[in-house]
Amino acid sequence: MGRTLAEKVWSDHIVHEGDGLPDLLYIDMHLVHEVTSPQAFDGLRATGRPLRRPDLTIATEDHNIPTVDVDKPIADPISRIQVETLRKNCEEFGVTLFPLGDLEQGIVHVVGPQMGLTQPGMTIVCGDSHTSTHGAFGALAFGIGTSEVEHVMATQTLPLKPFKTMAINFEGELPLGVSAKDLILAVIAHIGTGGGQGYVLEYRGEAIKGLSMEGRMTICNMSIEAGARAGMIAPDATTFEFIKGKPHAPRGEDWTTALSYWETLVTDPDAKFDKEITIDASSLRPFVTWGTNPGQGLPLDQAVPDPQSFSDPVERKAVENALAYMGLVPGQPLKEIAVDTVFLGSCTNGRIEDLRAAANVIKNRKVAQGVRLLVVPGSTRVRIEAEHEGLDKIFLDAGAEWRGAGCSMCLAMNPDKLTPGERSASTSNRNFEGRQGPGGRTHLVSPEVAAATAVRGTLSDPTDLVEV
Amino acid sequence: MDAFTVHTGTAAPLHRSNVDTDQIIPAEYLKRITRHGFEDALFASWRKDPEFVLNLPQYEGASILIAGPDFGTGSSREHAVWALQDYGFKVILSSRFADIFRGNSGKGGLLTAVIPQDAIEKLWEITELSPSAPVTVDLQALTVTAGDYRCEFEVDEYVRWRLLEGLDDIGITLEHSEAISEFEKNRPSFKPVLK
Ligand code: SF4
């Protein structure tokens, strides 16, 4: 019988078959950042174990760093210690690190792909749940906890039970004005935050094939928000084109060998998924979340739902809690919700194409009075590329803040935070209570919706804007 | 890691579904570089509410948490497990756990036992009527017992074995060192390597 893409990558990495116990899987690339690694490095020291493959390990500073005054020492002493600890650990264990101020610094999931370190058929892990991003290249990539970080450091492997596979088939093409973000938000609303639990999701169909690598990364990124271990998309010409010429892309004969291997990384026609669902892509519209988990979303042209319309009591309670926290009333049109802050960035939507899409909407327009638009490129390279294209000027002319690269207000570990009660439209991936600052309220949106919202001051899509 | 066989303690009912790891421990507390000392961080923002279950005197000292479905969603932060353990929890009961959280719990020796939502509701009821009633979670027998009530729970077989034996994962894997070296010899040269 044929095999799925995920099964092919899995079986190519088995070091030792589990026979009922988990398989021991080889890890091709381990990405490290300052927040989930210090205790793992400590563990190595405590047990006297060496880091097995520093040459398959790469570190960057992203979660905890400021996005202004990046040439000065970090003001928050606890953040500074954490970042300095990463520097010391990388030095001690021989790990390549891209520190603040380095051209290659940025959010770990933006850095890997832009350096060509993310390639089809690889196993990639990181102490970060959004490692699923790298699945856009046909890699099996997933987030791990700190104990597993230590495990990979010590052994370059992980004992894992095979994941189940789920195909998400899209029928038809994405309508104009509907982005990858809208598509994945719709998927999560459809299957729920636990719907993908235990599965690797493979996104398939014309709507996926038509997407750029940036769009595919946006989708795979949020697989974890549906509870899935990983998301994958079969590599194709778009993938190969993206990788070609990147600093760590294979060259010469290696490129030819790699390509012929990568081309085999598709689900066989007779392969069987454990589960398949089909979604009509052509019916999708711009999407936004109204609640406090990423599954609580609706098309932007709808209204805040009524808890009474949910028959399941657990779900009804969750909706009531969410509306109370978000300060929303049932029946309120989503487009009438006014925001204080718009955050454009994160590993979901902080890539060059995302900035272009938002700049395109905001060009020759102004950010609404009283609204703050924060633009945080996903990496320093993205920032420089955007500045080359003049995107920084477009944002600054509109009245936005143009920042250095990092996670920033996606999780508010650095000074970029919402204040209690403040409301944001955010291109990031989590609308959990307090995620963007204690008491902050988050609506997840696409870059285009973020830009239109910044201009109108209420949740909006670009078609709501008057011509300029 | 200490072995886990049977645990008896009091239980706190947490009437929430989708308890994400940002709620279990907000990002602000992740700046610390230690593995312990996170008890103050557990549910930091909910604990500001005097009515929050862990603030109620009758649930003081609870070591079992009974939660709604989809516990531990979101971020992979293992700090969530450490915070629960530092606070004193040994067992979390829910009808569904997020995968990464469940994996992290297994590594750290926190038992995540899966029981159906109706059993959760029954236990909520019991622990509300008598907060000081002891609840016993038996990893050998795979049962949860509270007074006359008893139900079976599910846990990953491998995790169960490791918890019962108190085994260190890395130690187990290092027994396969030769197989790892053998695998490395055959890795294709086109795969990216740093330096
Ligand atoms: S941008 Fe947000 S989701 Fe992505 S790695 Fe950083 S904190 Fe995590």
Side-chain angles (χ1 to χ4, degrees), chain A residues 446-461:
Chain A
S446 70
E448 293 87 340
V449 169
T453 300
V455 171
R456 291 225 316 161
T458 55
L459 294 175
S460 308
D461 77 61

Side-chain angles (χ1 to χ4, degrees), chain A residues 62-63 107-109 128 130 221 346-348 406-407 410-411 428-430 435:
Chain A
D62 54 6
H63 281 66
I107 306 172
V108 65
H109 311 308
D128 188 281
H130 291 103
N221 174 276
S346 87
C347 61
T348 315
C407 295
C410 172
L411 93 164
S428 55
N429 44 44
R430 285 184 175 145
R435 169 79 176 182

